[in-house]
Amino acid sequence: QVQLVESGGGSVQPGGSLTLSCGASGLSFSRYAMGWFRQTPGEERKFVASIAWNGLRTYYADSVKGRFTISRDNVKKTVFLQMNDLKVEDTAVYYCAAERIPFGLGDRSSNFNSWGQGTQITVSS
């Protein structure tokens, strides 16, 4: 059974920074690409960032390029999302996800099938 648990959510002011963590268990973590998605009320869940199984490739949504950084620690079985220069429109529930096929690049959002419970990020003045 795959278990993904997000942490690090909270409220920040515009321009601030925050780092999310996602601890994984129940899978051979180092074999799978990992990703982050977000969702706001009334909207579809959207891709934010992903990282290949070996950490050598990363992908980002256009809306967060240059501001967010995804990374992973295969020893600790944890994936991170560092968020800088946060904007009001970044407010959402953020979800950690794992890809369904081992040794993947994480380059297609449709390949992710395991999800965490989500953590709330609120950016406001």
Side-chain angles (χ1 to χ4, degrees), residues 94-115:
Y94 284 69
Y95 297 89
C96 176
E99 203 169 50
R100 62 183 174 87
I101 301 176
F103 308 113
L105 298 177
D107 57 336
R108 296 297 300 270
S109 60
S110 60
N111 289 336
F112 292 89
N113 73 332
S114 296
W115 304 88

Side-chain angles (χ1 to χ4, degrees), residues 28-36 47 49-60 70-74 78-79 97-99 101-108 112:
S28 298
F29 180 81
S30 62
R31 298 182 182 180
Y32 293 88
M34 300 294 295
W36 290 94
F47 170 80
S50 62
I51 185 167
W53 69 277
N54 57 7
L56 297 180
R57 290 181 174 83
T58 57
Y59 303 89
Y60 298 93
I70 187 171
S71 61
R72 66 189 298 160
D73 185 330
N74 286 347
T78 303
V79 61
E99 203 169 50
I101 301 176
F103 308 113
L105 298 177
D107 57 336
R108 296 297 300 270
F112 292 89

